[in-house]
Amino acid sequence: TKPRCWCLVLIEIIVIFSFCPQQTDLNSFLWTIKRDPPSYFYGTIHVPYTRVWDFIPENSKQAFQESNIVYFELDLTDPYTISALTSCQLLPQGENLQDVLPRDIYRRLKRHLEYVKLMMPSWMTPDQRGKGLYADYLFNAIAGNWERKRPVWVMLMVNSLTEADIKTRGVPVLDLYLAQEAERMRKKTGAVEKVEEQCHPLNGLNFSQVIFALNQTLLQQESLRAGSLQVPYTTEDLIRHYNCGDLNSIIFNHDTSQVPNFNNVTLPPSEQVTAQEIDSYFRQELIYKRNERMGKRVKALLEEHPDKSFFFAFGAGWF
């Protein structure tokens, strides 16, 4: 990749440290598993690696280079992973969203996607355009075939079709960059999860819960468009917390589960119950159960290969 202009990096460092606590209080997202040779846990986030790479401490980069085997949540360089994720998101053969969604929600969804498509050229950065990334191509890459997707995946798609998110596209996220680097260094790589284990819990929400979640997501996006709502935290907040080494930030949990939080004090009591049920379901299925399963698999790998140095790169929220 092209080196970033040193002056831009310097400006970003000055900005970050003006928001950070004292330098001596900063943490890194690296943990050592004490054995011989040592193994490591490393916390990543789903943002372009160029936004965080210069802030990652040298000991983390060295641990990555020295380890024999690198494990991720999923193997993002495996074509099967991508095709399995895609097919898991689709409705049964012959069904379309128009057939399953209430008419009003379908109309609002269509209108919102038309708005996004219209706005996308103005959201893109000169850097993205310089790399030959075009708005139509990007829209189709993210939202193409949306009429065939299951409503829960459309909800997640709408949640990510924001100006801030679009501006980050075109550069590998940190997890993917580490996977590509591991491949380039000819390290052995692997994954502690199967696609189905990430995918099926999302498809397990009941229909009324999915409709509620999609409606809430559309309401939020419509309010943002009207200027009557501000997002509680942004990608920039996430990056700043990560670069500051803030281990306690709640926002990493949402980056890890990739699911919005529907708990909202402004909801009427009956809807608050539904929101809490969804939040509880996601917490159980996408965080607690996966956490335990991943932990058991990490332990088994370490016991099976006592002479190898592992580098486990998982979302920072797990830690």
Side-chain angles (χ1 to χ4, degrees):
T1 56
K2 269 162 68 176
R4 294 171 72 206
C5 167
W6 68 267
C7 52
L8 290 179
V9 173
L10 187 59
I11 289 166
E12 194 164 2
I13 288 169
I14 292 166
V15 169
I16 288 288
F17 283 110
S18 68
F19 284 106
C20 287
Q22 286 188 337
Q23 174 105 22
T24 51
D25 297 335
L26 298 184
N27 300 296
S28 78
F29 288 89
L30 181 77
W31 286 265
T32 303
I33 302 165
K34 290 183 179 173
R35 61 185 211 148
D36 189 20
S39 285
Y40 305 95
F41 283 126
Y42 183 68
T44 64
I45 54 170
H46 304 286
V47 302
Y49 80 94
T50 49
R51 296 296 312 279
V52 296
W53 191 251
D54 295 313
F55 300 91
I56 293 173
E58 217 40 58
N59 66 342
S60 304
K61 294 175 182 175
Q62 195 176 337
F64 177 72
Q65 285 168 354
E66 289 175 2
S67 53
N68 312 114
I69 307 171
V70 184
Y71 262 72
F72 300 93
E73 290 173 41
L74 289 177
D75 186 353
L76 298 170
T77 59
D78 181 358
Y80 167 77
T81 302
I82 308 306
S83 68
L85 271 173
T86 304
S87 61
C88 177
Q89 295 177 19
L90 297 179
L91 285 163
Q93 195 66 38
E95 280 188 25
N96 287 311
L97 262 184
Q98 195 165 6
D99 307 326
V100 297
L101 286 183
R103 189 179 299 174
D104 173 56
I105 288 188
Y106 178 81
R107 273 205 303 261
R108 285 166 55 214
L109 171 64
K110 198 171 180 189
R111 196 182 311 133
H112 181 68
L113 291 177
E114 283 165 0
Y115 162 81
V116 169
K117 192 170 187 179
L118 185 71
M119 294 302 293
M120 206 177 265
S122 66
W123 289 350
M124 295 187 68
T125 65
D127 194 41
Q128 286 173 316
R129 286 191 286 271
K131 287 177 181 159
L133 205 56
Y134 294 102
D136 279 353
Y137 166 80
L138 195 53
F139 181 83
N140 288 328
I142 302 167
N145 208 21
W146 66 270
E147 299 228 27
R148 284 278 300 117
K149 285 182 191 280
R150 292 173 183 265
V152 69
W153 293 96
V154 170
M155 178 269 290
L156 293 178
M157 179 191 81
V158 168
N159 206 51
S160 71
L161 276 171
T162 60
E163 181 173 359
D165 190 80
I166 295 304
K167 286 185 190 305
T168 68
R169 300 290 178 139
V171 176
V173 292
L174 182 58
D175 325 53
L176 179 56
Y177 176 70
L178 289 174
Q180 290 169 342
E181 281 295 285
E183 220 171 40
R184 186 182 64 78
M185 294 172 172
R186 291 186 163 74
K187 291 180 184 291
K188 191 180 172 196
T189 60
V192 291
E193 288 193 291
K194 300 179 179 73
V195 170
E196 296 74 23
E197 290 166 343
Q198 280 200 12
C199 207
H200 288 170
L202 282 161
N203 292 345
L205 270 185
N206 70 46
F207 187 70
S208 63
Q209 289 173 326
V210 172
I211 296 305
F212 172 85
L214 179 55
N215 181 49
Q216 288 300 314
T217 302
L218 284 170
L219 284 172
Q220 186 184 52
Q221 294 305 319
E222 287 157 357
S223 301
L224 286 168
R225 275 164 53 189
S228 58
L229 178 74
Q230 281 195 316
V231 286
Y233 59 85
T234 65
T235 305
E236 292 304 313
D237 295 327
L238 181 69
I239 290 167
R240 190 170 72 247
H241 280 288
Y242 188 78
N243 287 343
C244 287
D246 178 1
L247 305 183
N248 299 316
S249 178
I250 192 73
I251 60 178
F252 291 125
N253 290 333
H254 293 297
D255 183 64
T256 295
S257 67
Q258 297 287 288
V259 167
N261 183 2
F262 297 108
N263 267 328
N264 187 331
V265 289
T266 62
L267 293 173
S270 62
E271 291 188 3
Q272 273 188 32
V273 170
T274 306
Q276 282 161 7
E277 284 170 357
I278 293 171
D279 189 58
S280 171
Y281 174 83
F282 281 149
R283 198 169 285 277
Q284 193 62 37
E285 296 294 327
L286 295 179
I287 295 181
Y288 299 148
K289 281 188 182 177
R290 286 174 61 202
N291 211 352
E292 192 174 329
R293 190 166 55 223
M294 287 161 69
K296 284 177 179 170
R297 286 176 187 168
V298 163
K299 187 169 178 284
L301 283 164
L302 291 169
E303 287 170 350
E304 204 178 319
H305 306 280
D307 58 334
K308 299 290 183 192
S309 177
F310 285 85
F311 188 92
F312 297 100
F314 305 148
W318 293 117
F319 304 107

